[in-house]
Amino acid sequence: MRVLAALSGGVDSAVAAAKAVEAGHDVVGVHMALSSQPQECRIGSRGCCSIEDAGDAARAAEIIGIPFYVWDLAQEFEQTVITDFVAQYKAGRTPNPCVRCNEFVKFRELATRARALGFDAVCTGHYAAIVDGEAGPELHRGADNLKDQSYVLAVMGPEELHRVVLPLGDAPNKAWVRSEAERLGLGVSNKPDSYDICFIPDGDTQGFLRAHLGASEGEIVTPDGEVLGRHEGYWNYTVGQRKGLGIGAPAPDGRPRYVLETRPETNQVVVGASELLSISRITATDAVWLASDDDGSDATDLFVQLRAHGTPVPVASLARDLDAGTISVVLASSARGVARGQSMVVYRGTRVLGEGTIDATGR
Ligand SMILES: Nc1ncnc2c1ncn2[C@@H]1O[C@H](COP(=O)(O)OP(=O)(O)OP(=O)(O)O)[C@@H](O)[C@H]1O
């Protein structure tokens, strides 16, 4: 196959590209330049803006012996992933930008360009596996449970399943990937892992949101409306958060309070007892369904994962309406701290069946 290998400059994608070559594919490497402010790049940073990363990607391609290009997708990244990130927080949700980057940038922009140029598939260093099933390719969890990235890949949609190569799906762990990088002579074997949010390399999400959304003082209230304190922007709070509420006194019964909800329309943050966080019904929107042979109606071995690296929760029943783009589940055991805006990924065992964005929860 003609394969376009997405090289981030990190160790995973370099090893993945080398594996694609070893598997006999005709491989070309591409690095996506994703920062619109490259002048702010700091040497040693591992955000999406690092110039070092492009250089590392180029060196890896040279060692592997494949042609290499840099594509400037900064505008697409800014207009989709970053814009969506800020808008979602403003709407009182907790977005996952890696999911949106996969959806908008890697499996839309990059994959579309790859197809237009005659490539059969895109290769990435994600830890997830494409398995040949009876009804066609299936997306499964990676062999390394700790690194598994199937959660952020479900959004690729059913067509891309046929056009993606994930050589690290059966990698036992990161140490093995690093040793492979060493064996292959790739200079990036000791490079640290990338940040959670690549466009916030200093990790200060609150500072980033303050810069984009300003400050907007409002009330911190109980579910009954009692005012307990003030905040400087509801977007600084996430459902399930306990620390940093700044409301001093605990509840009258001495138990800690948690963020239950943020209300953009009234600029309020609602806090309450931990049991109020438990939910057992979820509706997700913008659904994609990857499994043509499994509609999720049989609850055997059916789970949902509700955040990256979250523990899978068993499902009692699932209903989907793909025309309306919704997936609704009743959980077999309750889940806590489920935030709107996160992905709900549906698994049968290790297989990803579908995905949607959490829009509403209920008890
Ligand atoms: N800027 C980029 N240019 C090209 N491909 C990228 C870029 N960023 C990420 N990717 C692709 O997406 C995959 C997953 O990205 P992620 O940010 O999770 O990196 P990672 O798991 O740290 O992998 P790596 O060690 O390769 O950086 C990478 O392995 C790579 O194939």
Side-chain angles (χ1 to χ4, degrees):
M1 280 202 295
R2 288 200 69 213
V3 170
L4 185 72
L7 290 171
S8 66
V11 61
D12 296 334
S13 50
V15 172
K19 293 267 165 215
V21 171
E22 279 183 353
H25 298 305
D26 178 7
V27 181
V28 171
V30 70
H31 177 77
M32 299 181 287
L34 298 176
S35 172
S36 52
Q37 292 161 320
Q39 71 276 16
E40 288 186 8
C41 295
R42 288 178 291 122
I43 298 294
S45 99
R46 273 243 54 203
C48 56
C49 66
S50 165
I51 283 171
E52 267 181 313
D53 286 334
D56 286 342
R59 267 186 296 281
E62 196 181 340
I63 293 163
I64 298 166
I66 55 174
F68 174 75
Y69 299 90
V70 175
W71 286 356
D72 180 359
L73 295 181
Q75 209 183 341
E76 287 79 0
F77 189 75
E78 168 95 42
Q79 285 172 357
T80 56
V81 180
I82 300 180
T83 301
D84 176 79
F85 183 80
V86 174
Q88 292 298 316
Y89 269 107
K90 196 170 179 198
R93 293 161 167 249
T94 306
N96 183 324
C98 295
V99 171
R100 299 284 84 91
C101 179
N102 284 333
E103 178 183 4
F104 296 130
V105 181
K106 291 177 197 153
F107 295 110
R108 188 176 301 166
E109 199 59 43
L110 182 80
T112 305
R113 289 181 185 210
R115 257 197 318 283
L117 291 170
F119 288 96
D120 303 303
V122 167
C123 162
T124 72
H126 285 106
Y127 288 75
I130 301 290
V131 172
D132 271 336
E134 281 177 15
E138 301 175 354
L139 178 65
H140 282 252
R141 288 191 189 276
D144 179 2
N145 233 329
L146 284 178
K147 296 288 295 180
D148 171 45
Q149 290 177 304
S150 57
Y151 177 84
V152 293
L153 282 181
V155 76
M156 74 169 69
E159 286 83 29
E160 290 308 319
L161 275 181
H162 297 265
R163 299 193 284 250
V164 68
V165 174
L166 304 175
L168 300 191
D170 54 6
N173 51 48
K174 182 83 185 208
W176 179 86
V177 175
R178 290 194 189 281
S179 71
E180 279 296 284
E182 225 165 279
R183 178 181 74 78
L184 294 159
L186 298 166
V188 287
S189 62
N190 287 319
K191 199 163 171 178
D193 283 354
S194 45
Y195 292 97
D196 272 359
I197 301 179
C198 69
F199 53 88
I200 311 181
D202 63 4
D204 181 10
T205 304
Q206 288 201 0
F208 180 87
L209 290 173
R210 206 178 310 116
H212 283 80
L213 295 172
S216 175
E217 233 191 81
E219 294 169 342
I220 300 178
V221 297
T222 65
D224 300 331
E226 184 194 342
V227 179
L228 299 176
R230 301 195 66 76
H231 65 76
E232 290 191 351
Y234 58 81
W235 46 81
N236 293 320
Y237 299 83
T238 295
V239 172
Q241 178 179 337
R242 178 183 149 189
K243 294 200 174 121
L245 298 186
I247 47 175
D253 59 9
R255 292 190 302 155
R257 301 193 223 234
Y258 297 79
V259 174
L260 304 176
E261 193 191 336
T262 58
R263 291 185 184 149
E265 54 297 348
T266 53
N267 193 13
Q268 286 175 317
V269 175
V270 186
V271 298
S274 96
E275 59 267 21
L276 297 176
L277 282 173
S278 289
I279 56 108
S280 59
R281 288 167 190 278
I282 304 171
T283 299
T285 53
D286 297 322
V288 295
W289 200 260
L290 301 181
S292 59
D293 57 331
D294 189 339
D295 65 3
S297 56
D298 174 2
T300 315
D301 210 17
L302 198 65
F303 296 88
V304 284
Q305 189 174 318
L306 303 168
R307 64 179 74 94
H309 308 296
T311 309
V313 186
V315 171
S317 66
L318 179 146
R320 37 161 233 183
D321 179 346
L322 295 185
D323 290 332
T326 60
I327 304 172
S328 301
V329 295
V330 179
L331 303 176
S333 59
S334 62
R336 282 165 44 97
V338 178
R340 293 192 311 138
Q342 293 280 291
S343 281
M344 175 177 83
V345 178
V346 182
Y347 290 86
R348 187 175 307 285
T350 62
R351 181 186 180 189
V352 174
L353 300 185
E355 185 267 359
T357 305
I358 297 169
D359 186 56
T361 59
R363 297 216 264 150

